């Protein structure tokens, strides 16, 4: 195990995670007399709220995921380290991370843990094989390939039932991500792809939004949720409320309705946006410190100053922290990261002590969700509005938080082309994006992974049990094996 020694004798700050919480914490410390090590398992700062636009061909990954090193290269007191954190020793003040099977130990005087959240399948992790989430770039690229690949399979199908299955898209979860994704799949089918196939009419595609609760966008209230539902239904999206997903397989989903009855929706392309759970570092922190607990979603129950019990130098921010009244959104991460950085900065400069810290206070700047082009819903305090002006507010806010001038400029151009016209500039999709995750799973069980690949690829109408994609996948596998 390699130990990393601090060259300077200044206060050492380790930040885990390059999302909103971690990045804004680093930026807040740019003029502080500290040395910062940012550890992240990805090389980019991901603007997660716009992932669905990557999945539906509006934006490229470069616009929403700039390289973290490039973003912070002008900040001389930050060192960026790539690796996945596997352990945190709060007593000895070290973080252990792993990269390419090599462990590295980084010491700290202060620690900010901002690792965010991942998709939750509520104990049914096997659903992920057939219904990917929307938390990473890989998720978005895989989903884009699945959406476009479904249309390609439908074009080749001669069996009406097979064609209908490939023309049915199911989005599980009617929160902001689910609403935005369902709306964009509908627009993709109705506008962008219209007239581009010969054997199918993409406007016949079914987009079904399934929600276990009784409302769309429930946290935003009945008024805005109702507006969003009306707009989606006008676009042709089928909304099924009080519908619990009990099973997901290659051919579709099983739904349990409020009356207890079960039914099937045959669908080749599914996406899961129904829940989130915190990263595994929450449990590590709880195990490593006495008295620290996590909630049902794995989030760390923190002290009023966002630290864990008995360790005033260990802060937990963003989606990993459990604070009443603070939603799992970008604003909570930004404000939490900034708060922690300010406390560290003031104490490192000798301007305050731990006892002087004021409790963290969250300022709610509102919630937004876009439903379609020219339509969104917005809630700021008691003010609620929807439609075109809410959509403009949504555009402005998201542009503001995009990192880098080039990202903002290119994003505006892409939005202009996509929303005013029919063209989407990011329609490339490869079979490898769909099967890459299965290839990783094959390291554990090759036979099972091959079977899953066949199932996800679907059936051709010729009845030979192989689609074009499957045949190519098998051919590639044979070439690699040779």
């Amino acid at each position: 195990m390699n130990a990393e020694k601090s060259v300077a004798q200044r206060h050492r700050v380790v930040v885990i995670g390059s999302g909103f919480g971690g990045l804004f914490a680093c930026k807040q410390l740019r003029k502080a007399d500290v040395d910062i090590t940012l550890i992240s398992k990805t090389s980019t700062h991901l603007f997660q709220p716009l992932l669905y636009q990557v999945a539906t061909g509006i934006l490229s990954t470069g616009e929403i995921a700039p390289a973290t090193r490039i973003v912070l290269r002008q900040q001389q007191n930050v060192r960026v380290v790539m690796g996945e954190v596997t352990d945190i020793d709060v007593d000895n003040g070290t973080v252990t991370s792993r990269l390419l099977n090599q462990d590295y130990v980084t010491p700290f005087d202060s620690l900010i843990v901002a690792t965010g959240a991942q998709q939750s399948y509520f104990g049914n992790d096997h659903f992920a094989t057939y219904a990917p989430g929307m938390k990473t770039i890989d998720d978005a690229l895989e989903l884009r390939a699945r959406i476009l690949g479904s249309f390609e399979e439908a074009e080749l199908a001669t069996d009406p039932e097979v064609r209908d299955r490939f023309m049915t898209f199911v989005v599980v979860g009617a929160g902001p991500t689910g609403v935005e994704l369902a709306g964009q799949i509908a627009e993709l089918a109705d506008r962008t792809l219209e007239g581009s196939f010969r054997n199918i009419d993409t406007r016949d595609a079914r987009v079904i939004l399934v929600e276990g609760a009784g409302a769309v966008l429930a946290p935003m209230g009945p008024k805005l949720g109702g507006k969003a539902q009306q707009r989606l239904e006008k676009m042709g999206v089928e909304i099924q409320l009080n519908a619990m997903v009990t099973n997901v397989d290659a051919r579709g989903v099983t739904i349990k309705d409020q009356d207890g009855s079960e039914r099937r929706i045959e669908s080749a392309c599914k996406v899961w946006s129904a829940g989130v759970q915190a990263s595994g570092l929450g449990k590590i922190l709880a195990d490593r410190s006495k008295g620290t607990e996590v909630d049902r979603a794995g989030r760390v129950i923190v002290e009023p100053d966002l630290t864990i019990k008995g360790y005033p130098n260990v802060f937990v921010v963003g989606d990993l922290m459990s604070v009443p009244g603070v939603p799992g959104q970008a604003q909570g991460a930004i404000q939490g990261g900034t708060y922690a950085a300010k406390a560290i900065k003031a104490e490192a400069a000798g301007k305050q002590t731990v006892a002087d810290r004021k409790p963290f206070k969250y300022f709610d700047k509102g919630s937004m969700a876009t439903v379609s082009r020219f339509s969104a819903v917005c809630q700021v305090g008691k003010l609620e509005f929807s439609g075109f002006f809410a959509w403009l507010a949504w555009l402005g806010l998201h542009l503001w938080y995009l990192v880098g001038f080039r990202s903002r400029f290119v994003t505006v151009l892409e939005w202009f082309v996509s929303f005013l016209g029919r063209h989407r500039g990011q329609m490339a999709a490869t079979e490898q994006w769909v099967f890459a995750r299965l290839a990783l799973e094959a390291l554990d069980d090759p036979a099972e992974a091959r079977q899953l690949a066949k199932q996800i690829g679907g059936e051709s109408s010729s009845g030979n049990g192989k689609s074009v994609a499957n045949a190519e996948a098998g051919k590639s596998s044979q070439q690699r094996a040779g």
Side-chain angles (χ1 to χ4, degrees):
M1 191 174 288
N2 296 334
E4 298 179 354
K5 297 181 179 179
S6 177
V7 176
Q9 298 301 311
R10 297 194 298 179
H11 189 90
R12 300 165 300 180
V13 180
V14 171
V15 178
I16 305 176
S18 60
F20 284 108
L23 187 67
F24 274 76
C26 289
K27 288 190 170 186
Q28 185 64 41
L29 291 167
R30 63 186 178 276
K31 294 182 180 181
D33 188 27
V34 299
D35 287 320
I36 309 164
T37 301
L38 172 63
I39 305 175
S40 176
K41 65 179 181 180
T42 66
S43 62
T44 61
H45 164 67
L46 177 61
F47 192 86
Q48 203 173 83
L50 290 178
L51 264 180
Y52 77 95
Q53 293 198 4
V54 173
T56 52
I58 297 175
L59 298 177
S60 72
T61 58
E63 271 76 81
I64 70 165
T68 308
R69 292 184 180 278
I70 303 301
V71 174
L72 295 174
R73 64 181 170 185
Q74 299 297 326
Q75 190 170 333
Q76 296 301 314
N77 65 344
V78 177
R79 177 189 178 214
V80 178
V81 174
M82 191 171 179
E84 183 170 4
V85 173
T86 58
D87 191 28
I88 300 173
D89 189 338
V90 292
D91 290 318
N92 294 312
T94 62
V95 172
T96 302
S97 59
R98 172 168 291 187
L99 180 65
L100 299 177
N101 295 321
Q102 179 67 52
D103 288 335
Y104 299 87
V105 176
T106 306
F108 66 84
D109 298 310
S110 293
L111 175 66
I112 300 176
V113 187
T115 48
Q118 57 196 15
Q119 205 70 57
S120 173
Y121 290 87
F122 307 110
N124 300 292
D125 291 345
H126 58 285
F127 288 1
T129 299
Y130 310 103
M134 279 290 292
K135 290 296 180 183
T136 68
I137 292 174
D138 290 332
D139 290 339
L141 294 178
E142 178 180 350
L143 182 57
R144 186 200 297 176
R146 290 196 180 199
I147 293 171
L148 298 179
S150 290
F151 285 113
E152 296 293 343
E153 293 270 13
E155 172 77 1
L156 294 173
T158 56
D159 186 327
E161 291 186 2
V162 173
R163 184 186 302 116
D164 289 344
R165 187 169 74 248
F166 282 111
M167 291 279 283
T168 300
F169 302 85
V170 175
V171 179
V172 182
T177 299
V179 166
E180 291 167 343
L181 190 55
Q184 284 306 313
I185 294 176
E187 288 195 338
L188 181 68
D190 289 345
R191 290 175 52 81
T192 305
L193 296 178
E194 180 192 4
S196 56
F197 291 85
R198 297 297 173 260
N199 293 332
I200 61 171
D201 185 345
T202 58
R203 294 174 299 178
D204 293 334
R206 292 179 66 196
V207 182
I208 304 173
L209 182 60
V210 179
E211 169 58 45
V216 173
L217 295 176
M220 299 184 72
K223 178 182 177 181
L224 293 182
K227 291 285 187 181
Q229 181 172 344
Q230 291 173 13
R231 176 57 185 161
L232 287 173
E233 290 175 338
K234 187 176 182 180
M235 297 168 63
V237 176
E238 301 175 33
I239 298 176
Q240 301 184 5
L241 303 177
N242 296 307
M244 299 292 296
V245 174
T246 59
N247 192 33
V248 181
D249 56 38
R251 292 177 174 270
V253 299
T254 302
I255 304 293
K256 184 176 182 180
D257 289 316
Q258 199 170 19
D259 61 4
S261 62
E262 287 194 342
R263 56 189 170 85
R264 285 276 297 176
I265 300 177
E266 298 296 320
S267 169
C269 185
K270 291 82 62 178
V271 59
W272 191 273
S273 62
V276 295
Q277 63 184 19
S279 76
L281 288 186
K283 187 177 185 306
I284 291 177
L285 283 172
D287 292 341
R288 284 291 200 169
S289 58
K290 295 180 180 180
T292 301
E293 298 179 352
V294 295
D295 63 13
R296 294 179 60 183
R299 296 173 298 188
V300 179
I301 300 174
V302 295
E303 299 294 283
D305 62 354
L306 305 186
T307 62
I308 61 176
K309 286 186 177 181
Y311 298 90
N313 63 327
V314 178
F315 295 84
V316 180
V317 304
D319 291 341
L320 190 59
M321 70 180 184
S322 177
V323 178
V326 180
Q329 299 175 350
Q331 274 301 319
I334 291 171
Q335 293 181 36
T338 302
Y339 169 88
K342 285 182 176 180
I344 293 171
K345 183 177 180 179
E347 289 156 25
K351 295 182 179 179
Q352 74 173 31
T353 65
V354 172
D356 297 327
R357 288 181 191 168
K358 295 181 180 180
F360 170 72
K361 289 186 179 180
Y362 174 69
F363 176 66
D364 188 358
K365 296 184 178 181
S367 302
M368 295 181 177
T370 180
V371 184
S372 65
R373 67 190 192 109
F374 309 144
S375 179
V377 292
C378 182
Q379 181 183 57
V380 182
K382 295 183 179 180
L383 177 64
E384 297 180 346
F385 58 104
S386 60
F388 181 71
F389 290 107
W391 183 74
L392 289 179
W394 180 92
L395 291 180
L397 180 67
H398 284 69
L399 278 176
W400 175 262
Y401 283 112
L402 275 177
V403 175
F405 171 77
R406 183 185 180 281
S407 293
R408 295 188 181 103
F409 179 74
V410 175
T411 298
V412 168
L413 291 180
E414 294 287 1
W415 282 347
F416 182 83
V417 171
S418 299
F419 296 144
L420 295 184
R422 296 170 57 186
H423 179 71
R424 298 190 180 201
Q426 305 298 325
M427 297 292 286
T430 72
E431 176 188 317
Q432 186 170 338
W433 290 352
V434 176
F435 292 107
R437 180 159 52 87
L438 297 179
L440 292 176
E441 293 176 2
L443 295 175
D444 296 324
D445 191 337
E448 181 181 356
R450 284 194 296 270
Q451 182 63 27
L452 291 174
K454 290 180 181 180
Q455 292 174 348
I456 290 176
E459 295 180 358
S460 69
S461 56
S462 62
N464 62 8
K466 285 189 178 182
S467 66
V468 174
N470 288 337
E472 292 299 322
K475 191 184 303 178
S476 299
S477 298
Q478 292 173 3
Q479 291 172 349
R480 288 192 293 271

